[in-house]
Structure formats: C-alpha cells, structure tokens
Amino acid sequence: MNNETICAISSGTGSSGIGIVRLSGPLAVEIGERLFRGKRRLKELKSYTAAYGHLVACMPEERNTSVLDEVIALVMRAPHTYTTEDVVEFSCHGGPLVLHRVLEELIKAGARLAEPGEFTKRAYLGGRIDLTEAEAVMDVIAAENERALSASLRQLQGGLSNRVTELREKLLYETAYIESALDDPENYSLEDYPEHLAPILADCKKNISRLLSSAKEGRLLREGIRTAIVGRPNAGKSSVLNLLLGEERAIVTEIAGTTRDTLEEKAVLGGVQLTLIDTAGIRETGDVVEQIGVRRAKEALRTADLILLVIDAAEPLTTEETDLLMEVSFDVPLIVLLNKNDLSTVVTKDEVRKLLMEEGTPTADRSGELCRILEISAATGDGKDALAKAVQELFFAGKLTDSQEDYLLNTRHIEALHEAQDALERVEDSLQAGVGEDFYTIDLMAAYEALGRIIGETLEDDLADKIFKEFCMGK
Ligand code: GDP
C-alpha cells in the first residue's frame, strides 16, 4: 500500500522564517529531483546530506521553468528515516503561498498529498515505532505543559511499550510452557504448576493495576485539572483567576458542544495545567453575577476535578459559603482560599475548618486528605506558591517528582488493560477451581492479545486508521 510517494507541508501554518515541505515514499528522491536545481543532484547525495539550490516549476509546453523558491534539500534514505522510506525535505521560505506552490508542483510531479498523520502511520507500518510511540508523537505535539511533554517524550522512547512488552513476554512464556507440557509430558512437567503460576499472575496483575492507577494522572496531565473557582460576589474570584492566568492569559480555548458557550482558560501552576471552568463570577460583574452565579457555580462544581472556594477573609462568613459547600461533592479535592490576607482579616482557618466539618455538609465525610485551607492575597500574589504545592499534593501525592512513573494512557490503553486484567482473573479462577491446564492458556492468550492491542501488535486496520486521522497534517 505504500508504493505511493506522499508530500505535505510539515511546518506550521502562518508565516515563519523557514517552512518545510516533506516527501516520503519510493519515488521521493526522483520526484524531488524533478523540481530541484543545484550544483549537485539529489540522486548523488548520500543519506542525511543537504544541498543548496532552487525549486522550479516546470512548464514543458514552453520548455521553460520558473523559480519557486531558494531552498536547502535534505535527502534521507530508507530504511533509517522517520517513515522508514526514502524521505526528502525541502527547507523553503516559510510563507503560506510559497509553500503551497511548492506542494502543488510536487503533486504535479507525481506525489500525492499526505493524509493527516500519514508519515507517522508509515513509521508504524514500517515497524519503526509501535502504536504507543505513534500516539506519543501526537501527545508531544499537543503538550501544553512541561509535565505532559516529558511524559509523552518518555512514551515516545518506549516507556509504555517496554512495560507492556515485558508483561506479554511472561504470559507467552507460560502459555508456551503449558502447551509444550501437554504435548510432551515426558520432558515438561506440570506438577505443582499452579503453585508456580499463581505468583506470576499476581505480579502481572499488580503491574497492570499500577499502570491503570497512573491513568487518571495521565488525563490530568494531558487535559489539565478542571478547576472551578467559586465564591460569593466580590470574594475575589476574578482576581484569583487573573493571578493564575498570569502570562498565560492569551491561551483561550473554545470548547464546542457544551450546552452554552463556555470559555475555558488554561493556566499552568507549578508545571501542572489547570483548565479553569468559567463560572459566572469570572467574567461578568454586578447584578448579573447575583442572578446566575449560583446556577453556573453549581454546574461547574459538578464537572470539576478541583474546587477553589474563594472567601473574602476581610468580611465575616455568610450563608453563601455554607450553601456552596453543600454543593461540593465529597470526593472532589477542595482548596479554600482565605483571600485578601493583605488586609486585616476576620475569618480564620479554624473557623473554616469547623464549617467544613459541620454535620450535614458533604465535606464532613471526607478525610483531611482532600481539603486544604490557604491564606492568600490575589492582589499581591502572596500564597500562590503554596497553592501550587497544594495542587501537586492533592493530585499527584508527590509522585510527580518521580516522573518516570507518569504514563499518558488514553481510553484505548485503559480498556485493553482492564480486559487483560479480567482475563488474568479468569486464570486465577481456573487455578482455584482446579480445572485442566489447557483452560489456563485460553485466558492467558486473551490477556496477551489485549495487551498486544496497546502496542498495535494485534490491531484491526480500521482502528489504526482512526488513530492516525487525529494527527495533524504533515506529521
Ligand atoms: P469576584 O466578584 O469574586 O470575581 O471578585 P473580584 O476579583 O472582582 O474582587 C472584588 C474586589 O476585591 C475587587 O475590588 C478586587 O480588587 C478586590 N480584591 C480581590 N482580591 C483582593 C486581595 O487579595 N486583596 C485586596 N486588598 N483586595 C482584593
């Protein structure tokens, strides 16, 4: 299927100093050659060698050529390239018009426009990377904060595949052993085999659980911690929002498909991304807040991973704070910010603690693990570092420092891990029930195959297509 040579603009849209047009496939060098004019011919270049020259558009009827751009051509030969095929990259001037003209001429010269993710798909089909690594490419490009970036880079280097491959090897070894023993009982013994298999199963299950437990952290790293800032009018919600946004204010993402137009803004706090959910107090002022504030706050509270309750510590507590606390789900981390500590304050941590423990509030049931009370001044920025630390403790329990353990698991990985886990439990049941060894192999292989889907070893074509379609153009 890969006998076509594909091309795409691999650098970003918009104007830039340099823009890269990439060709990959069996005719990459030949097609590049049709446009390239330089002292040296592309065909003569060794792999990983660049040459200076011009790209020209050919107009055969006039036996004439017109210069498209001045470029550097880089030739990379199969199989040691990104796609495992011959690759030619032209570094052109980075204007959208010039890049599109080069692309058009390459298509006229015999290349086909690449589909989104097609270069990476070829790397996968060529066996250079597995599926988790291909997905990691996408995550590296999409990473919006340091932690997500380092986790995806680690995944790109095979972090997750190595874990999965180790598990699969163990399962395959045991299956092969059982089958050999059933075939050749003289040489392989199954005596006491259940006692041998049980701890191996337990160990595999533990490893899978560990991977699964990093899944939530992976989602939070990738998508940001959905954070609702609530509190009564004038408590300082907008000020806290601005404090968090800091320089990041410009990054505004419109999330489509919500019941109303909601803007979500992203802030990075201590290397962790917060996706700030717009509650009424965030952007509106005056009466509007009082009319719709509570309703929106409630909505935000329902979908949040983290709640920041802002209290004006310079004013006595009111029933509004108690009302808001009634809406806080018992298993969502809550940070109470006693704001305006640059003024003389009247609300104390103890008072808030008492309020949190009050009979009948959802917060009364939870352990202190999920609650923090901090003094802060949104006006001066005092307390921002303590807030960053609290977020890290609440969500990553200090584990972020041991960053080797973060995996950016997606839904596909999680489903496969659960399936493998279930299959291993069935093997354990068979062990308990004392049924014949041939029963073990069926479920051991089911686990093996489920894990294989993660790295793309056992995967239907249409699923791979679906995954690569989500890639950006030119990658
Ligand atoms: P919101 O209605 O909850 O969004 O509150 P705002 O952020 O609009 O703040 C209400 C008022 O309190 C504004 O006049 C802010 O300047 C003021 N304010 C907010 N935070 C602080 C703070 O930490 N210290 C002081 N002195 N004033 C603050």
Side-chain angles (χ1 to χ4, degrees):
M1 69 179 285
N2 283 356
N3 51 16
E4 288 177 302
T5 296
I6 53 172
C7 64
I9 299 170
S10 284
S11 47
T13 51
S15 305
S16 56
I18 291 172
I20 293 176
V21 178
R22 174 152 64 171
L23 275 165
S24 175
L27 296 181
V29 178
E30 197 175 318
I31 292 172
E33 180 93 8
R34 292 181 192 150
L35 268 66
F36 184 77
R37 300 286 178 274
K39 271 198 187 146
R40 299 177 64 190
R41 303 188 57 184
L42 296 185
K43 275 188 204 159
E44 296 159 4
L45 292 183
K46 282 201 203 124
S47 190
Y48 286 94
T49 313
Y52 166 84
H54 291 86
L55 292 184
V56 295
C58 293
M59 292 173 277
E61 63 283 4
E62 296 156 33
R63 297 201 169 278
N64 229 337
T65 56
S66 84
V67 170
L68 292 169
D69 199 10
E70 182 186 27
V71 301
I72 299 285
L74 175 61
V75 173
M76 293 167 271
R77 295 188 191 274
H80 301 293
T81 66
Y82 185 72
T83 56
T84 72
E85 307 170 329
D86 279 351
V87 172
V88 175
E89 282 181 9
F90 293 117
S91 298
C92 311
H93 289 105
L97 185 58
V98 60
L99 292 173
H100 279 102
R101 284 193 61 202
V102 169
L103 199 62
E104 260 170 41
E105 290 303 320
L106 288 172
I107 292 168
K108 279 190 210 158
R112 163 171 76 67
L113 187 64
E115 288 162 17
E118 197 171 1
F119 292 95
T120 309
K121 187 178 175 185
R122 288 183 174 206
Y124 162 67
L125 293 174
R128 196 181 68 76
I129 56 174
D130 72 21
L131 209 56
T132 62
E133 289 158 346
E135 286 167 321
V137 170
M138 197 159 45
D139 287 330
V140 168
I141 294 172
E144 289 180 334
N145 63 74
E146 291 282 336
R147 309 251 185 221
L149 179 60
S150 62
S152 39
L153 284 171
R154 211 168 23 256
Q155 190 147 316
L156 182 57
Q157 285 153 18
L160 180 59
S161 349
N162 292 343
R163 289 299 196 84
V164 170
T165 306
E166 272 168 32
L167 285 169
R168 291 184 87 220
E169 276 166 6
K170 276 188 200 155
L171 299 177
L172 190 62
Y173 178 85
E174 296 308 323
T175 311
Y177 185 85
I178 296 171
E179 288 187 346
S180 310
L182 293 172
D183 281 354
D184 182 7
E186 281 175 22
N187 286 311
Y188 299 94
S189 161
L190 285 175
E191 214 182 304
D192 297 334
Y193 183 74
E195 287 74 20
H196 160 82
L197 187 59
I200 294 175
L201 290 176
D203 186 55
C204 288
K205 278 178 58 192
K206 202 169 89 196
N207 278 302
I208 293 176
S209 299
R210 210 176 287 150
L211 284 173
L212 280 170
S213 71
S214 74
K216 184 169 182 220
E217 285 162 22
R219 177 181 75 77
L220 294 175
L221 282 174
R222 194 198 311 247
E223 295 169 15
I225 297 170
R226 288 180 65 77
T227 306
I229 304 177
V230 296
R232 66 182 151 90
N234 274 328
K237 296 180 295 296
S238 319
S239 311
V240 167
L241 176 86
N242 285 326
L243 177 70
L244 292 174
L245 288 176
E247 300 292 306
E248 306 289 331
R249 175 109 226 176
I251 307 174
V252 175
T253 325
E254 193 129 19
I255 308 287
T258 45
T259 47
R260 61 195 161 81
D261 286 339
T262 309
L263 279 180
E264 303 198 7
E265 297 192 75
K266 298 192 170 173
V268 177
L269 185 68
V272 176
Q273 185 171 301
L274 303 184
T275 300
L276 302 162
I277 309 172
D278 180 12
T279 56
I282 291 183
R283 230 168 265 93
E284 272 127 331
T285 51
D287 321 334
V288 191
V289 180
E290 295 177 41
Q291 289 161 18
I292 56 179
V294 176
R295 187 171 54 80
R296 285 215 187 161
K298 282 182 184 174
E299 262 177 55
L301 286 173
R302 259 191 289 117
T303 59
D305 299 313
L306 167 68
I307 294 156
L308 298 182
L309 171 61
V310 184
I311 291 178
D312 180 348
E315 300 284 333
L317 288 176
T318 70
T319 51
E320 282 175 274
E321 273 89 20
T322 331
D323 287 351
L324 276 167
L325 281 177
M326 292 303 289
E327 303 292 331
V328 175
S329 161
F330 74 95
D331 56 354
V332 178
L334 168 73
I335 301 178
V336 179
L337 297 173
L338 295 179
N339 190 32
K340 311 198 185 180
N341 82 342
D342 53 304
L343 304 177
S344 70
T345 56
V346 294
V347 184
T348 64
K349 281 190 178 182
D350 274 344
E351 195 180 348
V352 174
R353 208 167 286 133
K354 226 178 276 160
L355 186 65
L356 289 176
M357 302 312 272
E358 210 152 84
E359 208 49 46
T361 54
T363 47
D365 297 335
R366 60 166 109 201
S367 59
E369 296 288 287
L370 285 178
C371 279
R372 294 286 186 281
I373 306 169
L374 304 172
E375 287 169 359
I376 185 172
S377 165
T380 65
D382 181 41
K384 189 178 176 182
D385 292 345
L387 177 57
K389 194 161 155 263
V391 170
Q392 292 212 359
E393 280 171 10
L394 285 169
F395 284 89
F396 303 103
K399 266 184 279 164
L400 268 186
T401 46
D402 179 20
S403 51
Q404 300 305 325
E405 288 298 312
D406 306 334
Y407 295 102
L408 291 185
L409 298 189
N410 58 34
T411 323
R412 196 179 72 73
H413 304 147
I414 294 167
E415 275 171 12
L417 287 170
H418 278 301
E419 211 174 293
Q421 196 80 309
D422 290 348
L424 294 180
E425 266 159 31
R426 289 198 299 274
V427 184
E428 285 184 334
D429 291 345
S430 303
L431 284 181
Q432 296 264 320
V435 296
E437 283 86 2
D438 45 346
F439 277 93
Y440 308 163
T441 56
I442 298 171
D443 292 317
L444 284 174
M445 282 319 280
Y448 177 82
E449 276 171 25
L451 292 173
R453 284 210 307 276
I454 296 179
I455 52 177
E457 199 105 306
T458 45
L459 186 82
E460 309 83 50
D461 277 352
D462 52 342
L463 183 58
D465 285 346
K466 213 173 117 216
I467 290 167
F468 288 105
K469 287 243 157 57
E470 287 174 25
F471 270 60
C472 52
M473 214 51 201
K475 189 64 216 178

